[in-house]
Amino acid sequence: MFPETVLHSRRLLLRAFDAGDITDTLASCSDSLTQRWLPLPRPYTLDDATAWCTTTAHAMRDSGDGIQFAVTDADSKRLVGQVGLKKTDWRALVSEVGYWVSPWARGRGIAVEATRTLAHWLLTDQRFQRMELRAAAENAASQEVAIKAGFHREGTLRNAGFVHGARVDLVLFSLLPGDLGSSTDPTEHR
Ligand SMILES: CC(C)(COP(=O)(O)OP(=O)(O)OC[C@H]1O[C@@H](n2cnc3c(N)ncnc32)[C@H](O)[C@@H]1OP(=O)(O)O)[C@@H](O)C(=O)NCCC(=O)NCCS
């Protein structure tokens, strides 16, 4: 399993979810854009947010599936999103990133900065060899995040995903250690 970890970038602090995140997680995961693209419970309830913050996110690390981070503003400490790894293949050293950004924090490069920060940790500290990202073919914002974070577009996985019962094509992106560049600053691309 991944070690419990706190990560920093220029504007962000990435840490484990806790009970103090429940209200902001409820607001973020009930939001229509988050609901549009992620297969979350609908409606997303207080019980769902409580389970995620106190149990589910932690269980994903304990099981070896991945690790989930609450993305917070380093100054205000407020939750601004989620970034995490899932479907980790420990033999191949491949893991898949996923994220959402809270409605009050969108359009400021938070998703790119959080993804780059996690990628640096995974591909350098953790010595993984590949980070994958899958975005629905119509989710233009998420594909823009992938490109701005330095991922390479590899192709379309036809009919590979589902969002609330509807089948969707997924676009597959990857990031390798050699794609990170020589900078040690995860936000150097901005
Ligand atoms: C996708 C998402 C995480 C992006 O978060 P964000 O922090 O606002 O993204 P960023 O600010 O880093 O923006 C990245 C780029 O995408 C662009 N973008 C945003 N919405 C866009 C859209 N609808 N179409 C095209 N580009 C878009 C932004 O303009 C930005 O480019 P810029 O820096 O040149 O302006 C956010 O919209 C979200 O939470 N969506 C719902 C959940 C989701 O889709 N998760 C991903 C599932 S694969």
Side-chain angles (χ1 to χ4, degrees):
M1 76 173 78
F2 288 113
E4 251 188 292
T5 306
V6 173
L7 300 173
H8 302 264
S9 66
R10 192 170 295 163
R11 297 177 296 169
L12 306 174
L13 189 148
L14 279 54
R15 55 155 176 80
F17 277 90
D18 62 36
D21 300 316
I22 292 171
T23 304
D24 281 342
T25 296
L26 176 60
S28 303
C29 292
S30 306
D31 166 73
S32 58
L33 193 67
T34 314
Q35 283 279 330
R36 166 88 175 82
W37 294 118
L38 295 177
L40 294 167
R42 183 183 280 180
Y44 193 89
T45 65
L46 180 61
D47 283 350
D48 293 322
T50 303
W52 172 259
C53 293
T54 62
T55 309
T56 320
H58 302 272
M60 289 177 74
R61 191 181 74 82
D62 295 342
S63 71
D65 184 58
I67 185 168
Q68 298 296 324
F69 290 93
V71 179
T72 64
D73 182 299
D75 293 331
S76 71
K77 310 289 186 235
R78 187 173 185 193
L79 187 80
V80 291
Q82 166 272 344
V83 69
L85 299 169
K86 60 187 176 182
K87 299 179 188 163
T88 304
D89 184 332
W90 291 93
R91 291 187 67 183
L93 297 176
V94 176
S95 193
E96 180 181 335
V97 66
Y99 43 73
W100 47 257
V101 169
S102 304
W104 52 87
R106 289 187 186 137
R108 294 197 281 122
I110 300 291
V112 173
E113 186 169 328
T115 299
R116 286 286 290 184
T117 302
L118 182 57
H120 267 267
W121 178 74
L122 181 73
L123 300 176
T124 56
D125 295 21
Q126 298 299 307
R127 300 178 190 280
F128 268 57
Q129 297 304 306
R130 177 176 161 93
M131 188 188 229
E132 293 187 348
L133 192 161
R134 289 170 169 74
E138 293 184 6
N139 191 348
S142 188
Q143 291 180 58
E144 197 65 28
V145 169
I147 295 298
K148 285 181 182 288
F151 283 75
H152 290 239
R153 189 186 196 283
E154 294 189 333
T156 301
L157 305 171
R158 296 184 305 154
N159 211 27
F162 60 94
V163 186
H164 301 294
R167 304 295 313 184
V168 293
D169 292 348
L170 296 178
V171 181
L172 176 64
F173 296 86
S174 71
L175 189 73
L176 309 186
D179 299 330
L180 290 173
S182 55
S183 170
T184 54
D185 179 354
T187 64
E188 45 72 32
H189 62 287
R190 289 193 59 79

